[in-house]
Amino acid sequence: MVKDYSAYGPAYRGFKVKDAFFVPEPVAAFSGENPFTRMAPILGKNKDIHFDGTYPYLDKSLKFKFLHTLVYLIVWLVGFPLNRIRFGLKIEGREKIRQNRKLFAGGVMTVCNHVHRWDMVCVLQAMRYRMAWIPMYAEPFNGKDGFKMKYVGGIPIPESFAGLGKFDAALQELHERRKWIHIFPESCSWKFYAPLRPFKTGAFNMAYRFALPVVPMIITFRPRTGWRKWFGKDEPLITIHVGDPIIPDPKAPRKEETARIRDLAHKAMLEMAGIVSNPWPSHID
């Protein structure tokens, strides 16, 4: 059986999912025209960081190494259990990470929908206690969340051409060090939004350039029940689904191969989320 959620507004037009999947009511007026509308406010913006050629996109200081490790220990030891308790996190398909360890030995790129303040914690739990580096919008680094964003592995995307060289060099070095890179290809967060928005193509250019396997993941929702209603009865519980890796073909033309990887990831995520009809295409040029 399939349910239609078009009544939820323009951003849900024609949205249909299999009956087994739960779709929470909208918590904001999502745009039905611009899927890249930034909804999350930047809190406490008071810094003046310039993301140009002088910014250390890959900080190698002892301070960074210490705090980076400390933040991950806190996420693993505190964040993971809290995520299970508060949001009832379930992980489906995580065995695919274990089964493909040899394939991932040279590094990997994970992608996921961006629908929740704790969605990166969900991704990290699905990764089985691995660290990740995450390209992010630069502007929020000037807000009060900037500390957490930096030390969890966030790399600000340069605001000017002057920073692109160092940004690219940082990603190249991470690839050479066989690190895991995570991308939210929808680019910005829409809280508890069930449809899948179009993807920015840049993430998949990176996967092609570095020949990185792409692991699609998607967060879906469940109704909050039982004792977990004490932890925010208006928020849904969460499941993250892990898909099969998509392998880039380095011999194929870049433009065509990048589009193939992007579209396969989008399709796999639709299928894992039980989405039968989606309001958005896989990309918007």
Side-chain angles (χ1 to χ4, degrees):
M1 185 177 177
V2 173
K3 288 186 177 181
D4 188 324
Y5 290 88
S6 298
Y8 277 8
Y12 292 79
R13 61 188 180 279
F15 181 57
K16 298 178 182 179
V17 297
K18 295 179 181 178
D19 188 49
F21 291 84
F22 173 72
V23 177
E25 293 185 11
V27 298
F30 301 117
S31 172
E33 301 298 326
N34 182 6
F36 306 123
T37 302
R38 299 188 194 182
M39 303 290 292
I42 299 173
L43 303 175
K45 184 176 180 181
N46 55 15
K47 302 175 185 176
D48 190 25
I49 304 171
H50 298 283
F51 304 98
D52 53 21
T54 65
Y55 183 83
Y57 294 94
L58 196 56
D59 193 335
K60 298 179 182 179
S61 67
L62 288 176
K63 175 184 176 182
F64 177 83
K65 292 176 181 178
F66 171 76
L67 291 174
H68 182 54
T69 302
L70 179 63
V71 165
Y72 263 88
L73 287 173
I74 293 171
V75 170
W76 290 339
L77 299 176
V78 180
F80 282 12
L82 283 178
N83 208 19
R84 295 277 191 182
I85 294 169
R86 181 176 177 182
F87 294 104
L89 178 70
K90 292 183 179 179
I91 304 171
E92 295 191 359
R94 188 164 66 173
E95 68 279 358
K96 296 170 186 176
I97 303 292
R98 182 184 65 254
Q99 293 166 354
N100 289 285
R101 281 181 296 181
K102 290 184 178 179
L103 176 64
F104 299 157
V108 67
M109 175 182 290
T110 57
V111 296
C112 187
N113 55 335
H114 205 358
V115 292
H116 178 33
R117 187 171 175 83
W118 283 42
D119 47 20
M120 191 62 219
V121 179
C122 298
V123 170
L124 291 173
Q125 284 184 260
M127 285 181 177
R128 301 181 67 88
Y129 293 92
R130 290 174 173 85
M131 291 182 174
W133 297 85
I134 316 128
M136 301 177 176
Y137 277 129
E139 192 177 3
F141 281 77
N142 277 309
K144 76 172 189 177
D145 287 337
F147 177 91
K148 291 181 286 186
M149 293 170 66
K150 177 177 179 177
Y151 290 106
V152 79
I155 303 177
I157 300 170
E159 299 171 325
S160 66
F161 183 78
L164 285 176
K166 281 200 169 182
F167 176 78
D168 286 343
L171 294 175
Q172 177 68 46
E173 183 172 339
L174 290 172
H175 169 57
E176 291 170 357
R177 288 161 54 186
R178 302 179 180 182
K179 300 298 184 181
W180 286 46
I181 296 173
H182 178 75
I183 302 283
F184 289 110
E186 295 174 316
S187 80
C188 55
S189 179
W190 282 15
K191 189 175 181 180
F192 304 140
Y193 182 66
L196 188 60
R197 286 174 286 148
F199 288 170
K200 297 278 190 176
T201 303
F204 304 95
N205 274 319
M206 191 190 308
Y208 174 84
R209 173 186 171 191
F210 297 139
L212 291 174
V214 175
V215 177
M217 301 183 184
I218 190 165
I219 290 172
T220 61
F221 309 104
R222 311 189 313 275
R224 186 169 288 269
T225 58
W227 58 269
R228 285 195 174 91
K229 289 183 178 180
W230 290 95
F231 298 93
K233 62 181 180 180
D234 295 327
E235 297 179 330
L237 301 180
I238 289 174
T239 301
I240 187 167
H241 309 258
V242 181
D244 293 312
I246 301 166
I247 314 300
D249 179 1
K251 296 180 180 179
R254 181 194 60 80
K255 186 175 181 179
E256 289 81 356
E257 183 64 5
T258 298
R260 183 187 74 89
I261 300 166
R262 177 200 64 212
D263 293 346
L264 280 177
H266 199 271
K267 180 180 178 182
M269 292 163 70
L270 290 174
E271 291 175 352
M272 287 188 287
I275 298 174
V276 176
S277 176
N278 197 55
W280 308 102
S282 64
H283 67 287
I284 295 178
D285 293 324

